[in-house]
Amino acid sequence: MKKKKLKMYLIIFISIIILIVELFPIAIIIMNSFKKDIDIWSANPFSFKPTLDSYKKVFQRKDVMLGLRNSLIVSILSTSFSLVVGAMASYALSRFKFRYRKALSYSFLISRMIPQISLSIPLFMMFRSLGLTDTLIALIFAHMSFNIPYVIWVLLPFFSSVPIEYEEAALVDGCNRKKVFWKIFIPLVGPGLVVATVFTFMMSWNEFLYALVLTSSNAKTAPVVINGFMGQYAPLWGQLAAAGTIMLIPVFVITLAFQRYLIGGMGGGVKG
Amino acid sequence: MATKKNKRIGERSPVLYFILPALILVGLVLIYPIIYAVGISFFNWPLVDESSRGFIGISNYVRIFQDKEFWHALFLQLGFIFIAIPIELIMGFFVALLLNREFKGVNLIRSLLLLPVFVLPVLSGLTWRLMLQPEYGAISFLLNTLGIPQTAWLANPGTAYAAVIIQDIWRMWPFMFMFIYSGLINIPSSLIEAADLDGAKFWDKVIKIIIPLLRPTITTALLLRLIDALRIFSEVFVMTGGGPSNATTLLSLYIHKQAFRYFNVGYASAMGVILIVISLIIANFLVRRNMDSGS
């Protein structure tokens, strides 16, 4: 019995060590956000006097504020559009019988895996010829290229698992398909919608490549602005860390709040 | 009765009503760009001087085979995949076993471990870049106190490549952990306990019971990670920019360089198309598994 208790303490000890090592880089970035740039370049990286200096500077920077605003707009709008459109498509794919239904589901699912770098070139050329370079509209559309397939990917199993009797009853009662969808299905697939919302939002919020390729100044999102802090000669680590920490707040709040949905979301509806 | 109802409502129009918006949007931002990419991959298409644009057939694809830099990028990419993913899997697996028990605070540990997975890739890359700075980086400092001389880790090809891989392992092993853990809690504990009573040793249990039962979960996780690792870009781009001297120029970075630094969009697209094909082959396995078990 004593041996068992000892083993338990050992397990707890190892777990805590793993956790400390794993969270070390995050701690570093948060710690550096409370330092001045000049203090980061000198001396012991672990000794410092906390200051809000970098945050003050970051909040005064127009480019950071614009970047955060753009990130929010792009994330919220592309998430909303993708959710509506993706949920409707999932409903059709799970409930109607029509030709090419299977092929269509397959295409939607597989299209989630197309590498962004391959799409970035044609998207860049398309938006350039449409005169949409460096606009938020271009970014919102570009984000939908990964968000819509993702939403369908997540929601399809949720829609398929709704018992068919539910809608039969409603259809007999005289509801039409649109009403069935909005009034009956949407509430029933609620958990799926939560997963889809959380993940599409985070994918957009974290996205970098499209923002790098498709924007130059007006439509820059926060990740691109943060990368700009590296500068040519002297990186502004303090401000970079402060802006980065601000970007992390929604991510961590979402991660911890929706913890129990995360596994389903990471697999993206894939059954393990 | 039901069919009559359906007839009255009309089966065809609701399908279109529901599916058309997605079809149009996906067609615009995904299908059309893919066709476009395939199209330009047959052209010599310099972005800077578009007058010299011209159809050159499959020359770009032939050029890929002769391009030493491409093969180098592919080699680095495969090395990255075959080093990072197995380590992530092994770490994730054993930590999942370790944390598949109840003690005070275990829930908190499990969820905190997941945070790195969701850190912005850009911020992750930049943080590692900061930590590895020779004079003032936290990791350099710690290694120095252990007696390892200060080195410009990201300025040396070998260590820069290793750093890129370590960064990915740090970010993504918790993904494996969470995936495997979610499979583990679905294994009836009676199975594992029964083995305990039989006096089965730890490794016997792992090899004969746990791994066979988790096989589908592990395969899915591996396929997902494989597709992601194949297209990794942001973390590496901000961490090393592909350098020093191409030591960390993985496939996506090389394509990006050809397209947006050398402005050879035709050639870059040809490589992009090849990357699409490879990704779709892997994705095909994943989607088929999913659709089979779904129906």
Side-chain angles (χ1 to χ4, degrees):
Chain A
M1 215 52 219
K2 218 177 171 186
K3 210 177 153 193
K4 216 166 193 179
K5 216 168 181 184
L6 202 70
K7 197 180 148 198
M8 204 61 213
Y9 283 128
L10 189 68
I11 286 167
I12 296 175
F13 179 71
I14 296 172
S15 312
I16 290 172
I17 298 286
I18 294 173
L19 188 66
I20 290 172
V21 173
E22 188 60 16
L23 295 186
F24 179 76
I26 295 173
I28 288 289
I29 209 71
I30 296 175
M31 186 181 87
N32 277 301
S33 72
F34 294 105
K35 286 192 197 176
K36 291 181 180 174
D37 287 317
I38 205 144
D39 292 331
I40 296 174
W41 291 322
S42 60
N44 183 331
F46 296 100
S47 75
F48 70 104
K49 277 198 248 86
T51 156
L52 287 176
D53 209 59
S54 294
Y55 284 97
K56 275 184 205 141
K57 277 190 185 141
V58 158
F59 278 112
Q60 281 161 4
R61 287 183 67 137
K62 279 209 182 97
D63 57 346
V64 175
M65 290 301 113
L66 183 69
L68 285 172
R69 190 197 72 136
N70 288 344
S71 277
L72 260 183
I73 293 175
V74 171
S75 305
I76 290 174
L77 288 185
S78 84
T79 299
S80 322
F81 292 145
S82 305
L83 274 177
V84 174
V85 166
M88 286 166 69
S90 306
Y91 174 61
L93 290 171
S94 70
R95 273 305 187 264
F96 296 113
K97 289 201 172 65
F98 53 96
R99 244 206 291 190
Y100 309 123
R101 184 180 69 104
K102 257 205 133 144
L104 210 55
S105 312
Y106 176 82
S107 315
F108 273 124
L109 293 181
I110 205 166
S111 64
R112 188 195 150 208
M113 302 303 177
I114 290 170
Q116 258 167 274
I117 186 73
S118 307
L119 289 179
S120 69
I121 300 166
L123 285 174
F124 170 78
M125 316 268 283
M126 272 168 56
F127 288 128
R128 196 181 59 152
S129 57
L130 290 170
L132 289 174
T133 324
D134 200 23
T135 63
L136 293 179
I137 297 173
L139 265 190
I140 292 166
F141 272 94
H143 282 211
M144 282 197 274
S145 70
F146 53 82
N147 279 340
I148 293 175
Y150 178 80
V151 171
I152 295 177
W153 176 278
V154 168
L155 288 184
L156 214 46
F158 281 94
F159 275 103
S160 303
S161 66
V162 174
I164 200 130
E165 292 79 23
Y166 278 71
E167 60 189 319
E168 274 174 358
L171 285 170
V172 170
D173 282 350
C175 281
N176 64 24
R177 286 287 190 182
K178 290 169 199 173
K179 235 182 175 163
V180 168
F181 173 73
W182 290 107
K183 292 269 156 66
I184 295 175
F185 271 85
I186 289 300
L188 282 175
V189 298
L193 288 174
V194 173
V195 175
T197 311
V198 163
F199 274 81
T200 43
F201 180 85
M202 283 211 281
M203 286 193 294
S204 282
W205 186 252
N206 291 356
E207 204 281 333
F208 175 70
L209 176 54
Y210 287 160
L212 181 73
V213 170
L214 299 176
T215 70
S216 48
S217 55
N218 293 328
K220 263 193 199 173
T221 56
V224 177
V225 176
I226 290 179
N227 186 43
F229 284 146
M230 291 310 295
Q232 201 68 285
Y233 304 103
L236 301 172
W237 288 118
Q239 294 179 48
L240 189 157
T245 305
I246 296 168
M247 286 294 284
L248 277 181
I249 293 170
V251 176
F252 285 176
V253 168
I254 288 172
T255 310
L256 295 176
F258 295 100
Q259 208 221 110
R260 65 197 178 98
Y261 296 106
L262 290 179
I263 311 158
M266 286 192 304
V270 176
K271 296 191 181 71
Chain B
M1 181 67 193
T3 43
K4 201 176 151 200
K5 271 277 184 231
N6 287 343
K7 273 246 167 67
R8 188 168 63 80
I9 297 156
E11 268 293 4
R12 216 152 255 281
S13 67
V15 174
L16 286 183
Y17 169 83
F18 284 108
I19 213 157
L20 218 51
L23 265 185
I24 292 173
L25 280 171
V26 169
L28 271 177
V29 294
L30 205 75
I31 309 300
Y32 178 67
I34 291 174
I35 297 169
Y36 200 157
V38 174
I40 37 187
S41 75
F42 295 114
F43 280 82
N44 173 32
W45 195 316
L47 263 189
V48 272
D49 173 25
E50 301 209 28
S51 59
S52 61
R53 182 199 311 171
F55 182 80
I56 52 167
I58 60 162
S59 298
N60 281 328
Y61 291 92
V62 176
R63 183 175 158 195
I64 291 175
F65 280 95
Q66 296 157 346
D67 182 354
K68 280 206 187 96
E69 258 191 273
F70 172 81
W71 289 105
H72 183 63
L74 185 66
F75 173 74
L76 293 177
Q77 185 77 50
L78 292 177
F80 173 81
I81 288 172
F82 286 111
I83 298 169
I85 295 184
I87 296 178
E88 289 162 13
L89 174 65
I90 292 167
M91 286 176 68
F93 182 80
F94 284 106
V95 176
L97 282 183
L98 186 77
L99 294 182
N100 184 29
R101 63 193 86 222
E102 293 312 314
F103 55 86
K104 218 177 166 191
V106 70
N107 270 325
L108 188 64
I109 293 180
R110 282 195 290 250
S111 38
L112 288 178
L113 275 180
L114 269 186
L115 291 181
V117 178
F118 301 101
V119 167
L120 295 88
V122 166
L123 195 60
S124 170
L126 291 171
T127 304
W128 280 86
R129 188 164 161 183
L130 168 62
M131 293 192 300
L132 292 169
Q133 293 295 319
E135 303 294 334
Y136 52 86
I139 289 182
S140 298
F141 180 84
L142 289 178
L143 290 176
N144 197 32
T145 55
L146 293 175
I148 297 168
Q150 293 212 339
T151 313
W153 301 105
L154 294 178
N156 173 305
T159 49
Y161 187 59
V164 162
I165 292 175
I166 292 170
Q167 186 273 151
D168 193 71
I169 294 172
W170 169 73
R171 253 174 74 73
M172 294 317 276
W173 79 260
F175 170 88
M176 287 290 194
F177 155 70
M178 210 57 204
F179 224 83
I180 291 168
Y181 172 73
S182 72
L184 215 50
I185 51 178
N186 287 326
I187 297 180
S189 57
S190 60
L191 268 179
I192 301 180
E193 276 160 21
D196 252 337
L197 285 178
D198 292 343
K201 291 270 162 359
F202 172 75
W203 287 107
D204 275 358
K205 228 168 27 182
V206 167
I207 292 167
K208 291 193 182 135
I209 304 174
I210 296 177
I211 290 183
L213 284 171
L214 283 182
R215 254 216 0 233
T217 311
I218 292 176
T219 313
T220 303
L222 279 177
L223 288 170
L224 279 169
R225 277 299 296 135
L226 192 58
I227 294 166
D228 261 357
L230 198 59
R231 57 180 176 187
I232 183 168
F233 176 82
S234 314
E235 302 91 317
V236 188
F237 182 80
V238 300
M239 198 170 155
T240 65
S245 66
N246 283 345
T248 55
T249 304
L250 303 178
L251 276 182
S252 286
L253 279 95
Y254 185 51
I255 297 175
H256 178 268
K257 188 161 110 180
Q258 280 290 350
F260 299 108
R261 199 173 303 161
Y262 302 156
F263 300 119
N264 293 325
V265 283
Y267 183 50
S269 277
M271 292 188 284
V273 169
I274 289 182
L275 195 59
I276 291 180
V277 172
I278 301 173
S279 302
L280 288 186
I281 292 172
I282 304 169
N284 171 58
F285 289 111
L286 190 63
V287 173
R288 284 209 181 281
R289 288 166 58 80
N290 195 35
M291 284 178 80
D292 289 347
S293 65
S295 56

